[in-house]
Amino acid sequence: MDVARLFRHPLLPETDLLSAHYVEHTFSPHWHDCYVVPVIQAGAQLYQYAREQHLAVFGSIGVINPGEVHTGMRAGDDGWTYRAFYPPVSYLQKIASDLAGKPVEPPWFPLKVIHDIPLAQELLKAHLLLEQQFPDWLEVETRLYQAMSVLITRYSGIAPVDETSKPIRHVAWMKEVLSSRLEDSLTLEQLAAETGLSAFHAARMFSQQVGMPPHAWRNHLRLNRSLGMLKQGQSISATAAALGFTDQSHFNRHFKRAFGVAPSHWKAA
């Protein structure tokens, strides 16, 4: 049975996001005025693109450039399962310009089927986070921006300019912003704007100098602050809400991952 869900997220208001499993459906020749970035999760898809036939299997990323006619059909009896991004040209062009440190033309991807399991996994993680009702905006934007940056630099030939030699005060200031806005739905673009860096270079500089991306560092700061709040008798739900976790289960999951026990067990001890 064919199942498909098309949705959007406020972080990407002009980007369609598709999660689908197709067995019977066959896409007739068509084209988009945006990019198509699908990641195969299971099965295999056969498609015609650039006057050639291509096969996308588990872990494949079949990037379709804007305006290019293509089809789509199953390559086996079980069909294929995939998640796809449909970002506008302006979105990938902005990331490419951030990478290059100057305005550039929209990236072009000559390779029709990309076999890059680590990159495919990062794109899938970002897609899954975007499907959640209340994701951590900083985390999902950082993951998506970094994954798209890798896609562009590795497969469209746009090389990033090196800004990692800029003063360490940029990272210190980002930490200050993150610390003062623990409960906010802060985005990577907003964080980068505080330093005058592009989103790509802000995330890369922070990760290289701190050892983890901004969203992970902020979550650990939240967790460390939660210990004092729980010790003072504040409830787990109130602590989670005060520190900006999306809900109590989100807090519980991060707490146990960091400290080895659930907040309730730590509080009781």
PDB file of all heavy atoms in Angstrom, residues 92-117:
ATOM      1  N   LEU A  92      19.457  26.911  -0.925  1.00  0.00           N
ATOM      2  CA  LEU A  92      20.772  26.314  -1.154  1.00  0.00           C
ATOM      3  C   LEU A  92      21.765  27.345  -1.689  1.00  0.00           C
ATOM      4  O   LEU A  92      22.966  27.249  -1.418  1.00  0.00           O
ATOM      5  CB  LEU A  92      20.666  25.133  -2.121  1.00  0.00           C
ATOM      6  CG  LEU A  92      20.003  23.868  -1.578  1.00  0.00           C
ATOM      7  CD1 LEU A  92      20.266  22.689  -2.509  1.00  0.00           C
ATOM      8  CD2 LEU A  92      20.466  23.522  -0.181  1.00  0.00           C
ATOM      9  N   GLN A  93      21.269  28.335  -2.420  1.00  0.00           N
ATOM     10  CA  GLN A  93      22.172  29.385  -2.898  1.00  0.00           C
ATOM     11  C   GLN A  93      22.717  30.201  -1.724  1.00  0.00           C
ATOM     12  O   GLN A  93      23.889  30.579  -1.711  1.00  0.00           O
ATOM     13  CB  GLN A  93      21.447  30.300  -3.877  1.00  0.00           C
ATOM     14  CG  GLN A  93      22.363  31.357  -4.500  1.00  0.00           C
ATOM     15  CD  GLN A  93      21.655  32.199  -5.541  1.00  0.00           C
ATOM     16  OE1 GLN A  93      20.425  32.242  -5.600  1.00  0.00           O
ATOM     17  NE2 GLN A  93      22.422  32.858  -6.391  1.00  0.00           N
ATOM     18  N   LYS A  94      21.888  30.453  -0.713  1.00  0.00           N
ATOM     19  CA  LYS A  94      22.346  31.196   0.459  1.00  0.00           C
ATOM     20  C   LYS A  94      23.401  30.407   1.229  1.00  0.00           C
ATOM     21  O   LYS A  94      24.419  30.957   1.666  1.00  0.00           O
ATOM     22  CB  LYS A  94      21.178  31.525   1.383  1.00  0.00           C
ATOM     23  CG  LYS A  94      21.602  32.343   2.610  1.00  0.00           C
ATOM     24  CD  LYS A  94      20.456  32.589   3.558  1.00  0.00           C
ATOM     25  CE  LYS A  94      20.919  33.480   4.709  1.00  0.00           C
ATOM     26  NZ  LYS A  94      22.125  32.969   5.396  1.00  0.00           N
ATOM     27  N   ILE A  95      23.163  29.102   1.412  1.00  0.00           N
ATOM     28  CA  ILE A  95      24.153  28.272   2.101  1.00  0.00           C
ATOM     29  C   ILE A  95      25.464  28.259   1.313  1.00  0.00           C
ATOM     30  O   ILE A  95      26.550  28.386   1.879  1.00  0.00           O
ATOM     31  CB  ILE A  95      23.627  26.839   2.300  1.00  0.00           C
ATOM     32  CG1 ILE A  95      22.398  26.848   3.216  1.00  0.00           C
ATOM     33  CG2 ILE A  95      24.713  25.945   2.908  1.00  0.00           C
ATOM     34  CD1 ILE A  95      21.773  25.488   3.422  1.00  0.00           C
ATOM     35  N   ALA A  96      25.369  28.117  -0.004  1.00  0.00           N
ATOM     36  CA  ALA A  96      26.574  28.110  -0.851  1.00  0.00           C
ATOM     37  C   ALA A  96      27.322  29.428  -0.741  1.00  0.00           C
ATOM     38  O   ALA A  96      28.557  29.448  -0.679  1.00  0.00           O
ATOM     39  CB  ALA A  96      26.181  27.828  -2.302  1.00  0.00           C
ATOM     40  N   SER A  97      26.592  30.540  -0.690  1.00  0.00           N
ATOM     41  CA  SER A  97      27.231  31.858  -0.558  1.00  0.00           C
ATOM     42  C   SER A  97      27.884  32.013   0.813  1.00  0.00           C
ATOM     43  O   SER A  97      28.970  32.590   0.933  1.00  0.00           O
ATOM     44  CB  SER A  97      26.198  32.964  -0.787  1.00  0.00           C
ATOM     45  OG  SER A  97      25.677  32.908  -2.104  1.00  0.00           O
ATOM     46  N   ASP A  98      27.225  31.498   1.854  1.00  0.00           N
ATOM     47  CA  ASP A  98      27.824  31.517   3.191  1.00  0.00           C
ATOM     48  C   ASP A  98      29.127  30.726   3.204  1.00  0.00           C
ATOM     49  O   ASP A  98      30.119  31.145   3.801  1.00  0.00           O
ATOM     50  CB  ASP A  98      26.857  30.926   4.221  1.00  0.00           C
ATOM     51  CG  ASP A  98      25.699  31.858   4.555  1.00  0.00           C
ATOM     52  OD1 ASP A  98      25.767  33.039   4.175  1.00  0.00           O
ATOM     53  OD2 ASP A  98      24.732  31.393   5.188  1.00  0.00           O
ATOM     54  N   LEU A  99      29.113  29.577   2.551  1.00  0.00           N
ATOM     55  CA  LEU A  99      30.309  28.741   2.499  1.00  0.00           C
ATOM     56  C   LEU A  99      31.453  29.451   1.775  1.00  0.00           C
ATOM     57  O   LEU A  99      32.600  29.433   2.240  1.00  0.00           O
ATOM     58  CB  LEU A  99      29.998  27.429   1.767  1.00  0.00           C
ATOM     59  CG  LEU A  99      29.078  26.436   2.476  1.00  0.00           C
ATOM     60  CD1 LEU A  99      28.607  25.373   1.494  1.00  0.00           C
ATOM     61  CD2 LEU A  99      29.793  25.783   3.636  1.00  0.00           C
ATOM     62  N   ALA A 100      31.127  30.068   0.658  1.00  0.00           N
ATOM     63  CA  ALA A 100      32.159  30.711  -0.164  1.00  0.00           C
ATOM     64  C   ALA A 100      32.598  32.060   0.388  1.00  0.00           C
ATOM     65  O   ALA A 100      33.637  32.582  -0.009  1.00  0.00           O
ATOM     66  CB  ALA A 100      31.636  30.878  -1.592  1.00  0.00           C
ATOM     67  N   GLY A 101      31.796  32.621   1.282  1.00  0.00           N
ATOM     68  CA  GLY A 101      32.123  33.925   1.829  1.00  0.00           C
ATOM     69  C   GLY A 101      31.833  35.064   0.881  1.00  0.00           C
ATOM     70  O   GLY A 101      32.305  36.187   1.071  1.00  0.00           O
ATOM     71  N   LYS A 102      31.042  34.813  -0.159  1.00  0.00           N
ATOM     72  CA  LYS A 102      30.670  35.824  -1.145  1.00  0.00           C
ATOM     73  C   LYS A 102      29.464  35.298  -1.930  1.00  0.00           C
ATOM     74  O   LYS A 102      29.196  34.091  -1.928  1.00  0.00           O
ATOM     75  CB  LYS A 102      31.830  36.080  -2.108  1.00  0.00           C
ATOM     76  CG  LYS A 102      32.245  34.844  -2.896  1.00  0.00           C
ATOM     77  CD  LYS A 102      33.434  35.124  -3.809  1.00  0.00           C
ATOM     78  CE  LYS A 102      33.822  33.851  -4.567  1.00  0.00           C
ATOM     79  NZ  LYS A 102      34.989  34.070  -5.453  1.00  0.00           N
ATOM     80  N   PRO A 103      28.712  36.172  -2.593  1.00  0.00           N
ATOM     81  CA  PRO A 103      27.571  35.697  -3.392  1.00  0.00           C
ATOM     82  C   PRO A 103      28.029  34.784  -4.533  1.00  0.00           C
ATOM     83  O   PRO A 103      28.986  35.096  -5.238  1.00  0.00           O
ATOM     84  CB  PRO A 103      26.960  36.996  -3.941  1.00  0.00           C
ATOM     85  CG  PRO A 103      27.424  38.063  -3.002  1.00  0.00           C
ATOM     86  CD  PRO A 103      28.795  37.638  -2.559  1.00  0.00           C
ATOM     87  N   VAL A 104      27.363  33.644  -4.666  1.00  0.00           N
ATOM     88  CA  VAL A 104      27.683  32.707  -5.747  1.00  0.00           C
ATOM     89  C   VAL A 104      26.400  32.265  -6.431  1.00  0.00           C
ATOM     90  O   VAL A 104      25.295  32.480  -5.927  1.00  0.00           O
ATOM     91  CB  VAL A 104      28.441  31.454  -5.209  1.00  0.00           C
ATOM     92  CG1 VAL A 104      29.778  31.845  -4.607  1.00  0.00           C
ATOM     93  CG2 VAL A 104      27.595  30.701  -4.186  1.00  0.00           C
ATOM     94  N   GLU A 105      26.553  31.648  -7.579  1.00  0.00           N
ATOM     95  CA  GLU A 105      25.418  31.093  -8.306  1.00  0.00           C
ATOM     96  C   GLU A 105      24.852  29.886  -7.550  1.00  0.00           C
ATOM     97  O   GLU A 105      25.550  29.280  -6.732  1.00  0.00           O
ATOM     98  CB  GLU A 105      25.852  30.669  -9.713  1.00  0.00           C
ATOM     99  CG  GLU A 105      26.254  31.825 -10.620  1.00  0.00           C
ATOM    100  CD  GLU A 105      25.079  32.752 -10.904  1.00  0.00           C
ATOM    101  OE1 GLU A 105      23.984  32.249 -11.210  1.00  0.00           O
ATOM    102  OE2 GLU A 105      25.270  33.978 -10.792  1.00  0.00           O
ATOM    103  N   PRO A 106      23.602  29.519  -7.804  1.00  0.00           N
ATOM    104  CA  PRO A 106      23.051  28.321  -7.155  1.00  0.00           C
ATOM    105  C   PRO A 106      23.914  27.096  -7.451  1.00  0.00           C
ATOM    106  O   PRO A 106      24.423  26.945  -8.570  1.00  0.00           O
ATOM    107  CB  PRO A 106      21.664  28.179  -7.792  1.00  0.00           C
ATOM    108  CG  PRO A 106      21.312  29.565  -8.241  1.00  0.00           C
ATOM    109  CD  PRO A 106      22.607  30.192  -8.664  1.00  0.00           C
ATOM    110  N   PRO A 107      24.118  26.239  -6.466  1.00  0.00           N
ATOM    111  CA  PRO A 107      24.954  25.051  -6.696  1.00  0.00           C
ATOM    112  C   PRO A 107      24.318  24.106  -7.701  1.00  0.00           C
ATOM    113  O   PRO A 107      23.097  24.026  -7.812  1.00  0.00           O
ATOM    114  CB  PRO A 107      25.039  24.412  -5.304  1.00  0.00           C
ATOM    115  CG  PRO A 107      23.850  24.911  -4.566  1.00  0.00           C
ATOM    116  CD  PRO A 107      23.599  26.297  -5.088  1.00  0.00           C
ATOM    117  N   TRP A 108      25.176  23.386  -8.406  1.00  0.00           N
ATOM    118  CA  TRP A 108      24.725  22.405  -9.397  1.00  0.00           C
ATOM    119  C   TRP A 108      25.368  21.071  -9.041  1.00  0.00           C
ATOM    120  O   TRP A 108      26.566  20.996  -8.787  1.00  0.00           O
ATOM    121  CB  TRP A 108      25.118  22.818 -10.809  1.00  0.00           C
ATOM    122  CG  TRP A 108      24.567  21.896 -11.860  1.00  0.00           C
ATOM    123  CD1 TRP A 108      25.191  20.830 -12.444  1.00  0.00           C
ATOM    124  CD2 TRP A 108      23.258  21.944 -12.426  1.00  0.00           C
ATOM    125  NE1 TRP A 108      24.366  20.212 -13.349  1.00  0.00           N
ATOM    126  CE2 TRP A 108      23.158  20.880 -13.356  1.00  0.00           C
ATOM    127  CE3 TRP A 108      22.158  22.776 -12.241  1.00  0.00           C
ATOM    128  CZ2 TRP A 108      22.006  20.638 -14.101  1.00  0.00           C
ATOM    129  CZ3 TRP A 108      21.004  22.542 -12.988  1.00  0.00           C
ATOM    130  CH2 TRP A 108      20.936  21.487 -13.903  1.00  0.00           C
ATOM    131  N   PHE A 109      24.566  20.020  -9.031  1.00  0.00           N
ATOM    132  CA  PHE A 109      25.048  18.705  -8.616  1.00  0.00           C
ATOM    133  C   PHE A 109      25.146  17.794  -9.834  1.00  0.00           C
ATOM    134  O   PHE A 109      24.132  17.311 -10.342  1.00  0.00           O
ATOM    135  CB  PHE A 109      24.105  18.103  -7.570  1.00  0.00           C
ATOM    136  CG  PHE A 109      23.990  18.926  -6.325  1.00  0.00           C
ATOM    137  CD1 PHE A 109      22.998  19.897  -6.200  1.00  0.00           C
ATOM    138  CD2 PHE A 109      24.888  18.749  -5.280  1.00  0.00           C
ATOM    139  CE1 PHE A 109      22.905  20.672  -5.049  1.00  0.00           C
ATOM    140  CE2 PHE A 109      24.800  19.517  -4.122  1.00  0.00           C
ATOM    141  CZ  PHE A 109      23.809  20.483  -4.009  1.00  0.00           C
ATOM    142  N   PRO A 110      26.370  17.549 -10.313  1.00  0.00           N
ATOM    143  CA  PRO A 110      26.524  16.713 -11.517  1.00  0.00           C
ATOM    144  C   PRO A 110      26.289  15.231 -11.263  1.00  0.00           C
ATOM    145  O   PRO A 110      25.884  14.497 -12.165  1.00  0.00           O
ATOM    146  CB  PRO A 110      27.978  16.970 -11.938  1.00  0.00           C
ATOM    147  CG  PRO A 110      28.673  17.379 -10.680  1.00  0.00           C
ATOM    148  CD  PRO A 110      27.644  18.114  -9.864  1.00  0.00           C
ATOM    149  N   LEU A 111      26.552  14.766 -10.026  1.00  0.00           N
ATOM    150  CA  LEU A 111      26.384  13.350  -9.716  1.00  0.00           C
ATOM    151  C   LEU A 111      24.912  13.062  -9.456  1.00  0.00           C
ATOM    152  O   LEU A 111      24.287  13.690  -8.596  1.00  0.00           O
ATOM    153  CB  LEU A 111      27.219  12.985  -8.480  1.00  0.00           C
ATOM    154  CG  LEU A 111      27.409  11.503  -8.179  1.00  0.00           C
ATOM    155  CD1 LEU A 111      28.115  10.804  -9.330  1.00  0.00           C
ATOM    156  CD2 LEU A 111      28.217  11.335  -6.887  1.00  0.00           C
ATOM    157  N   LYS A 112      24.354  12.107 -10.176  1.00  0.00           N
ATOM    158  CA  LYS A 112      22.910  11.865 -10.109  1.00  0.00           C
ATOM    159  C   LYS A 112      22.498  11.042  -8.891  1.00  0.00           C
ATOM    160  O   LYS A 112      21.436  11.261  -8.324  1.00  0.00           O
ATOM    161  CB  LYS A 112      22.440  11.173 -11.394  1.00  0.00           C
ATOM    162  CG  LYS A 112      22.802  11.924 -12.673  1.00  0.00           C
ATOM    163  CD  LYS A 112      22.279  13.353 -12.647  1.00  0.00           C
ATOM    164  CE  LYS A 112      22.591  14.098 -13.931  1.00  0.00           C
ATOM    165  NZ  LYS A 112      23.982  14.537 -14.041  1.00  0.00           N
ATOM    166  N   VAL A 113      23.308  10.056  -8.511  1.00  0.00           N
ATOM    167  CA  VAL A 113      23.025   9.260  -7.314  1.00  0.00           C
ATOM    168  C   VAL A 113      24.252   9.329  -6.420  1.00  0.00           C
ATOM    169  O   VAL A 113      25.348   8.921  -6.815  1.00  0.00           O
ATOM    170  CB  VAL A 113      22.702   7.787  -7.664  1.00  0.00           C
ATOM    171  CG1 VAL A 113      22.352   7.022  -6.391  1.00  0.00           C
ATOM    172  CG2 VAL A 113      21.549   7.704  -8.650  1.00  0.00           C
ATOM    173  N   ILE A 114      24.074   9.827  -5.217  1.00  0.00           N
ATOM    174  CA  ILE A 114      25.174   9.987  -4.267  1.00  0.00           C
ATOM    175  C   ILE A 114      25.109   8.863  -3.244  1.00  0.00           C
ATOM    176  O   ILE A 114      24.081   8.688  -2.585  1.00  0.00           O
ATOM    177  CB  ILE A 114      25.090  11.361  -3.566  1.00  0.00           C
ATOM    178  CG1 ILE A 114      25.268  12.486  -4.592  1.00  0.00           C
ATOM    179  CG2 ILE A 114      26.110  11.464  -2.444  1.00  0.00           C
ATOM    180  CD1 ILE A 114      24.946  13.858  -4.049  1.00  0.00           C
ATOM    181  N   HIS A 115      26.190   8.113  -3.119  1.00  0.00           N
ATOM    182  CA  HIS A 115      26.265   7.036  -2.129  1.00  0.00           C
ATOM    183  C   HIS A 115      27.170   7.514  -0.987  1.00  0.00           C
ATOM    184  O   HIS A 115      28.390   7.422  -1.069  1.00  0.00           O
ATOM    185  CB  HIS A 115      26.811   5.757  -2.767  1.00  0.00           C
ATOM    186  CG  HIS A 115      25.982   5.250  -3.909  1.00  0.00           C
ATOM    187  ND1 HIS A 115      24.763   4.624  -3.732  1.00  0.00           N
ATOM    188  CD2 HIS A 115      26.182   5.287  -5.249  1.00  0.00           C
ATOM    189  CE1 HIS A 115      24.260   4.303  -4.909  1.00  0.00           C
ATOM    190  NE2 HIS A 115      25.101   4.695  -5.848  1.00  0.00           N
ATOM    191  N   ASP A 116      26.544   8.031   0.038  1.00  0.00           N
ATOM    192  CA  ASP A 116      27.278   8.613   1.172  1.00  0.00           C
ATOM    193  C   ASP A 116      26.439   8.345   2.423  1.00  0.00           C
ATOM    194  O   ASP A 116      25.601   9.173   2.802  1.00  0.00           O
ATOM    195  CB  ASP A 116      27.497  10.113   0.936  1.00  0.00           C
ATOM    196  CG  ASP A 116      28.410  10.754   1.964  1.00  0.00           C
ATOM    197  OD1 ASP A 116      28.454  10.269   3.109  1.00  0.00           O
ATOM    198  OD2 ASP A 116      29.072  11.758   1.639  1.00  0.00           O
ATOM    199  N   ILE A 117      26.653   7.187   3.047  1.00  0.00           N
ATOM    200  CA  ILE A 117      25.824   6.763   4.178  1.00  0.00           C
ATOM    201  C   ILE A 117      25.855   7.769   5.336  1.00  0.00           C
ATOM    202  O   ILE A 117      24.792   8.129   5.863  1.00  0.00           O
ATOM    203  CB  ILE A 117      26.240   5.363   4.676  1.00  0.00           C
ATOM    204  CG1 ILE A 117      25.992   4.314   3.576  1.00  0.00           C
ATOM    205  CG2 ILE A 117      25.458   4.983   5.935  1.00  0.00           C
ATOM    206  CD1 ILE A 117      24.547   4.091   3.235  1.00  0.00           C
TER     207      ILE A 117
END
